[in-house]
Coordinates of all heavy atoms in Angstrom, one line a residue:
M1 N 90.2 105.2 96.2 CA 90.9 104.5 95.2 C 91.9 105.4 94.6 O 91.8 106.7 94.5 CB 89.9 104.2 94.1 CG 90.6 103.5 92.9 SD 89.5 103.0 91.5 CE 88.3 102.0 92.4
L2 N 93.1 104.7 94.3 CA 94.2 105.5 93.7 C 94.5 104.9 92.4 O 94.6 103.7 92.1 CB 95.5 105.2 94.6 CG 96.8 105.7 94.1 CD1 96.8 107.2 94.1 CD2 97.9 105.1 94.9
V3 N 94.6 105.8 91.3 CA 94.9 105.4 90.0 C 96.3 105.9 89.7 O 96.4 107.1 89.7 CB 93.8 105.8 89.0 CG1 94.2 105.5 87.6 CG2 92.4 105.3 89.3
S4 N 97.2 105.1 89.4 CA 98.5 105.5 89.0 C 98.7 105.6 87.5 O 98.4 104.7 86.8 CB 99.6 104.5 89.6 OG 100.8 104.9 89.1
L5 N 99.2 106.7 87.1 CA 99.5 107.0 85.7 C 100.9 106.9 85.4 O 101.4 107.3 84.3 CB 98.8 108.2 85.2 CG 97.3 108.4 85.3 CD1 96.8 109.7 84.8 CD2 96.6 107.3 84.5
D6 N 101.7 106.4 86.3 CA 103.2 106.3 86.1 C 103.4 105.4 84.9 O 102.7 104.5 84.6 CB 103.8 105.6 87.3 CG 103.8 106.5 88.6 OD1 104.2 107.7 88.4 OD2 103.5 106.0 89.6
R7 N 104.4 105.8 84.2 CA 104.7 105.0 82.9 C 105.6 103.8 83.2 O 105.6 102.8 82.6 CB 105.4 106.0 81.9 CG 104.6 107.1 81.6 CD 105.0 107.6 80.2 NE 104.3 108.9 79.9 CZ 103.2 108.8 79.2 NH1 102.6 107.7 78.9 NH2 102.5 110.0 78.8
R8 N 106.4 103.9 84.3 CA 107.3 102.7 84.6 C 106.7 101.9 85.8 O 106.4 102.4 86.8 CB 108.6 103.3 85.0 CG 109.4 104.0 83.9 CD 110.7 104.5 84.3 NE 110.9 105.0 85.7 CZ 111.9 104.5 86.5 NH1 112.8 103.6 86.1 NH2 111.9 104.9 87.8
M9 N 106.8 100.6 85.6 CA 106.4 99.8 86.7 C 107.2 99.9 87.9 O 106.6 99.8 89.0 CB 106.4 98.3 86.2 CG 106.0 97.2 87.2 SD 104.2 97.6 87.7 CE 104.2 96.5 89.1
Q10 N 108.4 100.2 87.8 CA 109.4 100.4 88.9 C 108.8 101.5 89.9 O 108.9 101.4 91.1 CB 110.8 100.6 88.5 CG 111.7 100.7 89.7 CD 111.7 99.4 90.5 OE1 111.9 98.3 89.9 NE2 111.6 99.5 91.8
D11 N 108.2 102.6 89.3 CA 107.7 103.6 90.0 C 106.5 103.2 90.9 O 106.3 103.6 92.0 CB 107.2 104.8 89.1 CG 108.4 105.5 88.4 OD1 109.6 105.4 88.9 OD2 108.2 106.1 87.4
V12 N 105.6 102.3 90.2 CA 104.5 101.8 91.0 C 105.1 100.9 92.1 O 104.5 101.0 93.3 CB 103.6 101.0 90.0 CG1 102.5 100.3 90.8 CG2 103.1 101.9 89.0
A13 N 106.0 100.1 91.9 CA 106.6 99.2 92.9 C 107.2 100.0 94.0 O 107.1 99.6 95.2 CB 107.6 98.2 92.2
D14 N 107.9 101.0 93.7 CA 108.6 101.9 94.7 C 107.5 102.5 95.6 O 107.7 102.5 96.8 CB 109.4 103.0 94.1 CG 110.7 102.4 93.4 OD1 111.1 101.3 93.7 OD2 111.3 103.2 92.6
Y15 N 106.4 102.9 95.0 CA 105.3 103.6 95.8 C 104.7 102.5 96.7 O 104.4 102.7 97.9 CB 104.2 104.1 94.9 CG 103.1 104.7 95.6 CD1 103.2 105.9 96.2 CD2 101.9 104.0 95.7 CE1 102.1 106.5 96.9 CE2 100.8 104.5 96.5 CZ 100.9 105.8 97.0 OH 99.8 106.2 97.7
E16 N 104.5 101.3 96.1 CA 103.9 100.2 96.9 C 104.7 99.9 98.2 O 104.2 99.6 99.2 CB 103.7 99.0 96.1 CG 102.5 98.9 95.2 CD 101.3 98.6 96.0 OE1 101.3 98.0 97.0 OE2 100.2 99.0 95.5
K17 N 106.0 99.9 98.0 CA 106.9 99.5 99.0 C 106.9 100.6 100.1 O 106.8 100.3 101.3 CB 108.4 99.5 98.5 CG 109.4 99.1 99.5 CD 110.8 98.9 98.8 CE 111.8 98.5 99.9 NZ 113.2 98.4 99.3
L18 N 106.8 101.9 99.8 CA 106.7 102.9 100.7 C 105.4 102.8 101.5 O 105.5 102.9 102.7 CB 106.8 104.3 99.9 CG 106.6 105.5 100.8 CD1 107.8 105.7 101.8 CD2 106.4 106.8 99.9
I19 N 104.3 102.6 100.8 CA 103.0 102.6 101.5 C 102.9 101.4 102.4 O 102.4 101.5 103.4 CB 101.9 102.5 100.4 CG1 101.8 103.8 99.7 CG2 100.6 102.0 101.0 CD1 101.4 104.9 100.6
S20 N 103.6 100.2 102.0 CA 103.5 99.1 102.9 C 104.2 99.3 104.2 O 103.8 98.6 105.2 CB 104.1 97.8 102.2 OG 105.5 98.0 102.1
H21 N 105.1 100.3 104.3 CA 105.8 100.6 105.6 C 105.1 101.6 106.4 O 105.2 101.7 107.6 CB 107.2 101.1 105.3 CG 108.1 100.0 104.8 ND1 108.3 98.8 105.4 CD2 108.8 100.0 103.6 CE1 109.2 98.1 104.6 NE2 109.4 98.8 103.5
L22 N 104.2 102.4 105.7 CA 103.6 103.5 106.4 C 102.1 103.4 106.7 O 101.6 104.0 107.6 CB 103.7 104.9 105.5 CG 105.2 105.2 105.2 CD1 105.2 106.4 104.3 CD2 105.9 105.6 106.6
V23 N 101.4 102.6 106.0 CA 99.9 102.5 106.1 C 99.5 101.1 106.4 O 99.9 100.2 105.6 CB 99.2 103.0 104.8 CG1 97.7 103.0 104.9 CG2 99.7 104.4 104.4
P24 N 98.7 100.8 107.4 CA 98.2 99.5 107.7 C 97.4 98.9 106.6 O 96.6 99.7 105.9 CB 97.4 99.7 109.0 CG 97.8 101.0 109.5 CD 98.3 101.8 108.4
P25 N 97.4 97.7 106.3 CA 96.6 97.1 105.1 C 95.2 97.5 105.0 O 94.6 97.7 104.0 CB 96.8 95.6 105.3 CG 98.1 95.4 106.1 CD 98.2 96.6 107.0
Q26 N 94.5 97.5 106.2 CA 93.1 97.8 106.2 C 92.7 99.2 105.9 O 91.6 99.6 105.7 CB 92.4 97.4 107.6 CG 92.8 98.2 108.7 CD 94.1 97.6 109.5 OE1 94.9 96.9 108.8 NE2 94.3 98.1 110.6
Q27 N 93.8 100.1 105.9 CA 93.6 101.5 105.6 C 94.1 101.9 104.1 O 94.0 103.1 103.8 CB 94.3 102.4 106.6 CG 93.7 102.3 108.0 CD 94.4 103.2 109.0 OE1 95.5 103.7 108.7 NE2 93.9 103.2 110.2
R28 N 94.5 101.0 103.4 CA 95.1 101.3 102.1 C 93.9 101.4 101.1 O 92.9 100.7 101.1 CB 96.1 100.2 101.6 CG 97.3 100.2 102.5 CD 98.3 99.2 102.0 NE 99.2 98.9 103.1 CZ 99.9 97.9 103.2 NH1 99.8 96.8 102.4 NH2 100.8 97.7 104.1
F29 N 94.2 102.2 100.1 CA 93.2 102.4 99.0 C 93.4 101.2 98.0 O 94.5 100.6 97.9 CB 93.5 103.7 98.2 CG 93.2 104.9 98.9 CD1 94.3 105.8 99.3 CD2 91.9 105.3 99.3 CE1 93.9 106.9 100.0 CE2 91.7 106.4 99.9 CZ 92.7 107.2 100.4
I30 N 92.3 101.0 97.2 CA 92.5 100.1 96.1 C 93.4 100.8 95.1 O 93.2 102.0 94.8 CB 91.1 99.8 95.4 CG1 90.2 99.1 96.4 CG2 91.2 99.1 94.1 CD1 88.7 99.0 96.0
Q31 N 94.3 100.1 94.4 CA 95.3 100.8 93.6 C 95.2 100.1 92.2 O 95.1 98.9 92.1 CB 96.6 100.7 94.1 CG 96.8 101.3 95.5 CD 98.2 101.2 95.9 OE1 99.2 101.4 95.3 NE2 98.3 100.9 97.3
L32 N 95.1 101.0 91.2 CA 95.1 100.6 89.8 C 96.3 101.2 89.1 O 96.7 102.3 89.4 CB 93.8 101.0 89.1 CG 92.5 100.4 89.7 CD1 91.3 101.1 89.0 CD2 92.5 99.0 89.6
W33 N 96.8 100.5 88.1 CA 97.9 101.1 87.2 C 97.5 100.9 85.8 O 97.2 99.8 85.4 CB 99.3 100.4 87.6 CG 100.4 100.9 86.7 CD1 100.8 102.2 86.6 CD2 101.3 100.1 86.0 NE1 101.9 102.2 85.8 CE2 102.2 101.0 85.4 CE3 101.4 98.8 85.7 CZ2 103.3 100.6 84.6 CZ3 102.5 98.4 85.0 CH2 103.4 99.2 84.4
S34 N 97.6 102.0 85.1 CA 97.1 101.9 83.6 C 98.3 101.7 82.7 O 98.1 101.8 81.5 CB 96.4 103.2 83.3 OG 97.3 104.3 83.4
G35 N 99.4 101.4 83.1 CA 100.7 101.4 82.2 C 101.0 100.2 81.4 O 101.7 100.3 80.5
E36 N 100.4 99.0 81.7 CA 100.9 97.9 81.0 C 99.7 96.9 80.8 O 99.0 96.5 81.8 CB 102.0 97.2 81.8 CG 102.6 96.0 81.2 CD 103.7 95.4 82.0 OE1 104.7 96.2 82.2 OE2 103.6 94.3 82.5
P37 N 99.4 96.4 79.6 CA 98.3 95.4 79.4 C 98.5 94.2 80.2 O 99.7 93.7 80.3 CB 98.3 95.2 77.9 CG 99.2 96.3 77.3 CD 100.1 96.8 78.4
G38 N 97.5 93.6 80.8 CA 97.6 92.5 81.6 C 98.1 92.6 83.0 O 98.1 91.7 83.7
Y39 N 98.5 93.9 83.4 CA 98.8 94.1 84.8 C 97.7 93.8 85.8 O 96.5 94.2 85.5 CB 99.2 95.5 85.0 CG 99.4 95.9 86.5 CD1 100.6 95.5 87.1 CD2 98.5 96.7 87.1 CE1 100.8 95.8 88.5 CE2 98.6 97.0 88.5 CZ 99.8 96.6 89.2 OH 99.9 96.9 90.4
A40 N 97.9 93.0 86.8 CA 96.8 92.7 87.7 C 96.9 93.7 88.9 O 97.9 93.9 89.5 CB 97.0 91.2 88.3
D41 N 95.8 94.4 89.1 CA 95.7 95.4 90.2 C 95.5 94.6 91.5 O 95.6 93.4 91.6 CB 94.5 96.3 90.0 CG 93.1 95.6 89.9 OD1 92.9 94.6 90.5 OD2 92.3 96.0 89.1
N42 N 95.4 95.3 92.6 CA 95.3 94.7 93.9 C 94.0 94.1 94.2 O 93.8 93.6 95.3 CB 95.9 95.6 95.0 CG 95.0 96.8 95.3 OD1 94.1 97.1 94.6 ND2 95.3 97.5 96.3
L43 N 93.1 94.0 93.2 CA 91.8 93.3 93.3 C 92.0 92.0 92.5 O 91.1 91.2 92.4 CB 90.7 94.2 92.7 CG 90.3 95.4 93.5 CD1 89.2 96.1 92.8 CD2 89.8 95.0 94.9
G44 N 93.1 91.8 91.9 CA 93.4 90.5 91.3 C 93.1 90.3 89.8 O 93.2 89.3 89.2
K45 N 92.5 91.4 89.2 CA 92.1 91.3 87.8 C 93.0 92.3 86.9 O 93.4 93.3 87.5 CB 90.7 91.5 87.6 CG 89.8 90.6 88.3 CD 88.3 90.9 88.1 CE 87.5 89.9 88.8 NZ 86.0 90.1 88.7
P46 N 93.1 92.0 85.6 CA 93.8 93.1 84.8 C 93.1 94.4 84.9 O 91.9 94.5 84.9 CB 93.7 92.5 83.4 CG 93.6 91.0 83.6 CD 92.8 90.9 84.9
A47 N 93.9 95.5 85.1 CA 93.3 96.8 85.2 C 93.1 97.4 83.8 O 93.9 97.3 82.9 CB 94.3 97.7 85.9
R48 N 91.9 98.0 83.6 CA 91.5 98.8 82.5 C 90.8 100.0 82.9 O 89.9 100.0 83.8 CB 90.7 97.9 81.5 CG 91.5 97.1 80.7 CD 90.6 96.5 79.5 NE 89.5 97.2 79.1 CZ 88.4 96.7 78.6 NH1 88.3 95.4 78.5 NH2 87.4 97.4 78.2
L49 N 91.2 101.2 82.4 CA 90.5 102.5 82.7 C 89.6 102.9 81.5 O 90.0 102.7 80.4 CB 91.5 103.4 83.1 CG 92.5 103.1 84.2 CD1 93.5 104.1 84.4 CD2 91.6 102.9 85.5
P50 N 88.5 103.6 81.8 CA 87.9 103.9 83.0 C 87.4 102.7 83.7 O 86.9 101.7 83.0 CB 86.9 104.9 82.8 CG 86.5 104.6 81.4 CD 87.7 104.1 80.7
M51 N 87.2 102.7 85.0 CA 86.7 101.6 85.8 C 85.9 102.1 87.0 O 86.3 103.1 87.6 CB 87.8 100.7 86.3 CG 87.4 99.5 86.9 SD 88.8 98.4 87.4 CE 89.4 98.0 85.8
S52 N 84.8 101.5 87.3 CA 84.0 101.9 88.4 C 83.7 100.7 89.3 O 83.6 99.6 88.8 CB 82.7 102.5 88.0 OG 82.8 103.6 87.1
F53 N 83.5 101.0 90.6 CA 83.2 99.9 91.6 C 82.0 100.2 92.3 O 81.8 101.4 92.7 CB 84.4 99.7 92.6 CG 85.7 99.3 91.9 CD1 86.6 100.3 91.5 CD2 86.0 98.0 91.7 CE1 87.8 99.9 90.8 CE2 87.2 97.6 91.0 CZ 88.1 98.6 90.6
L54 N 81.1 99.3 92.4 CA 79.9 99.4 93.3 C 80.3 98.8 94.7 O 80.6 97.6 94.7 CB 78.7 98.7 92.7 CG 77.4 98.8 93.4 CD1 77.0 100.3 93.7 CD2 76.3 98.1 92.6
I55 N 80.3 99.6 95.7 CA 80.8 99.1 97.1 C 79.6 99.3 97.9 O 79.0 100.3 98.1 CB 82.0 100.0 97.5 CG1 83.1 99.9 96.5 CG2 82.3 99.7 99.0 CD1 84.3 100.8 96.7
D56 N 79.3 98.2 98.7 CA 78.1 98.2 99.6 C 78.6 99.0 100.9 O 79.7 99.3 101.1 CB 77.6 96.8 99.9 CG 78.5 95.9 100.7 OD1 79.5 96.4 101.3 OD2 78.2 94.7 100.7
K57 N 77.6 99.0 101.8 CA 77.8 99.8 103.1 C 78.8 99.2 104.0 O 79.4 99.9 104.9 CB 76.5 99.9 103.8 CG 75.4 100.8 103.1 CD 74.1 100.8 103.7 CE 73.1 101.6 102.9 NZ 71.8 101.4 103.4
T58 N 79.2 97.9 103.8 CA 80.2 97.3 104.6 C 81.7 97.4 104.0 O 82.6 97.0 104.5 CB 80.0 95.8 104.8 OG1 80.1 95.1 103.5 CG2 78.6 95.6 105.4
G59 N 81.6 98.0 102.8 CA 82.9 98.3 102.1 C 83.4 97.2 101.1 O 84.4 97.1 100.6
R60 N 82.4 96.2 100.9 CA 82.7 95.1 100.0 C 82.4 95.5 98.6 O 81.4 96.2 98.3 CB 81.8 94.0 100.4 CG 82.0 92.7 99.7 CD 81.2 91.5 100.2 NE 79.8 91.8 100.0 CZ 79.1 91.3 98.9 NH1 79.6 90.6 98.1 NH2 77.8 91.6 98.9
V61 N 83.3 95.2 97.6 CA 83.1 95.4 96.2 C 82.0 94.5 95.7 O 82.1 93.2 95.8 CB 84.3 95.2 95.4 CG1 84.0 95.4 93.9 CG2 85.4 96.2 95.8
V62 N 80.9 95.0 95.4 CA 79.7 94.2 94.9 C 79.7 94.0 93.4 O 79.5 92.9 92.9 CB 78.4 94.9 95.3 CG1 77.2 94.1 94.8 CG2 78.3 95.1 96.8
E63 N 80.0 95.1 92.7 CA 80.2 95.0 91.2 C 81.3 95.8 90.7 O 81.7 96.8 91.4 CB 78.9 95.4 90.5 CG 77.7 94.5 90.9 CD 76.4 94.9 90.1 OE1 76.5 95.3 89.0 OE2 75.3 94.6 90.8
R64 N 81.8 95.5 89.6 CA 83.0 96.2 89.0 C 82.6 96.4 87.5 O 82.2 95.5 86.8 CB 84.2 95.3 89.1 CG 85.5 95.8 88.5 CD 86.6 94.8 88.7 NE 87.8 95.3 88.0 CZ 89.0 95.0 88.5 NH1 89.2 94.3 89.5 NH2 90.0 95.4 87.8
Y65 N 82.8 97.7 87.0 CA 82.4 98.0 85.6 C 83.7 98.6 84.9 O 84.3 99.4 85.5 CB 81.3 99.1 85.6 CG 80.1 98.7 86.4 CD1 79.8 99.3 87.6 CD2 79.2 97.8 86.0 CE1 78.7 99.0 88.3 CE2 78.1 97.4 86.7 CZ 77.8 98.0 87.9 OH 76.7 97.7 88.6
T66 N 83.9 98.1 83.8 CA 85.0 98.7 83.0 C 84.3 99.5 81.8 O 83.3 99.0 81.2 CB 85.8 97.5 82.3 OG1 86.4 96.8 83.4 CG2 86.9 98.1 81.5
G67 N 84.7 100.7 81.6 CA 84.0 101.6 80.7 C 82.8 102.2 81.3 O 82.7 102.4 82.4
R68 N 81.8 102.4 80.4 CA 80.6 103.0 80.9 C 79.8 102.0 81.7 O 79.7 100.9 81.5 CB 79.7 103.4 79.7 CG 78.4 104.0 79.9 CD 77.8 104.4 78.7 NE 78.5 105.6 78.0 CZ 77.8 106.6 77.8 NH1 76.6 106.8 77.8 NH2 78.6 107.7 77.3
I69 N 79.1 102.7 82.8 CA 78.3 101.8 83.6 C 77.0 101.5 82.9 O 76.4 102.5 82.4 CB 77.9 102.6 85.0 CG1 79.2 102.9 85.7 CG2 76.9 101.8 85.8 CD1 79.0 103.8 87.0
P70 N 76.6 100.3 82.8 CA 75.4 99.9 82.0 C 74.2 100.5 82.6 O 74.1 100.6 83.9 CB 75.4 98.4 82.1 CG 76.4 97.9 83.1 CD 77.3 99.1 83.4
A71 N 73.3 100.9 81.8 CA 72.0 101.5 82.3 C 71.3 100.7 83.3 O 70.7 101.1 84.3 CB 71.1 101.8 81.1
E72 N 71.3 99.3 83.1 CA 70.5 98.5 84.0 C 71.1 98.4 85.4 O 70.5 97.9 86.4 CB 70.3 97.0 83.5 CG 71.7 96.3 83.1 CD 72.3 96.6 81.8 OE1 71.8 97.5 81.1 OE2 73.3 95.9 81.4
A73 N 72.4 98.9 85.5 CA 73.0 98.8 86.9 C 72.6 100.0 87.8 O 72.7 99.9 89.0 CB 74.5 98.8 86.7
W74 N 72.0 101.1 87.2 CA 71.7 102.2 88.1 C 70.7 101.9 89.2 O 70.8 102.5 90.2 CB 71.3 103.4 87.2 CG 72.5 104.0 86.5 CD1 72.8 103.8 85.1 CD2 73.6 104.6 87.1 NE1 74.1 104.4 84.9 CE2 74.5 104.9 86.0 CE3 73.9 105.1 88.4 CZ2 75.7 105.6 86.3 CZ3 75.0 105.8 88.6 CH2 75.9 106.1 87.6
D75 N 69.7 101.1 88.9 CA 68.7 100.7 90.0 C 69.4 100.0 91.2 O 69.2 100.2 92.3 CB 67.6 99.8 89.5 CG 66.7 100.5 88.5 OD1 66.6 101.8 88.7 OD2 66.0 99.9 87.8
R76 N 70.4 99.1 90.8 CA 71.1 98.4 91.9 C 72.0 99.5 92.8 O 72.1 99.3 93.9 CB 72.1 97.3 91.3 CG 71.3 96.2 90.8 CD 72.1 95.0 90.4 NE 73.2 95.2 89.5 CZ 73.0 95.2 88.1 NH1 71.8 95.1 87.6 NH2 74.0 95.5 87.3
I77 N 72.6 100.4 92.0 CA 73.4 101.4 92.6 C 72.4 102.3 93.5 O 72.8 102.5 94.7 CB 74.0 102.3 91.6 CG1 75.1 101.5 90.8 CG2 74.7 103.5 92.3 CD1 75.7 102.1 89.7
A78 N 71.3 102.6 93.0 CA 70.4 103.4 93.9 C 69.9 102.7 95.1 O 69.8 103.4 96.2 CB 69.2 103.8 93.1
D79 N 69.8 101.4 95.0 CA 69.4 100.6 96.2 C 70.4 100.6 97.3 O 70.1 100.5 98.5 CB 69.1 99.2 95.8 CG 67.8 99.0 95.0 OD1 67.1 99.9 95.0 OD2 67.8 97.9 94.4
L80 N 71.7 100.9 97.0 CA 72.7 100.9 98.0 C 72.9 102.2 98.6 O 73.6 102.4 99.6 CB 74.1 100.4 97.4 CG 74.1 98.9 97.0 CD1 75.4 98.6 96.3 CD2 73.9 98.0 98.2
L81 N 72.2 103.3 98.0 CA 72.4 104.7 98.6 C 71.5 104.8 99.9 O 70.5 104.2 100.1 CB 72.0 105.7 97.5 CG 72.9 105.7 96.3 CD1 72.5 106.7 95.3 CD2 74.4 106.0 96.7

């Protein structure tokens, strides 16, 4: 996962353009940008940091947590290990 702390959206857009020419889509990282409220990350939802993702063995995002991971989620996380 890549988290961009760039202050300008143009910097994020320039990076995206560069990556789109160099890295095949299936090899790209999930990208988040923390610079503007309401910005939709490449998972399609507004980005807020800190953020955690529970990813299963096939690489599918199973759950997404904003802020602290809730205590009840740790058993589900352990099951995927």
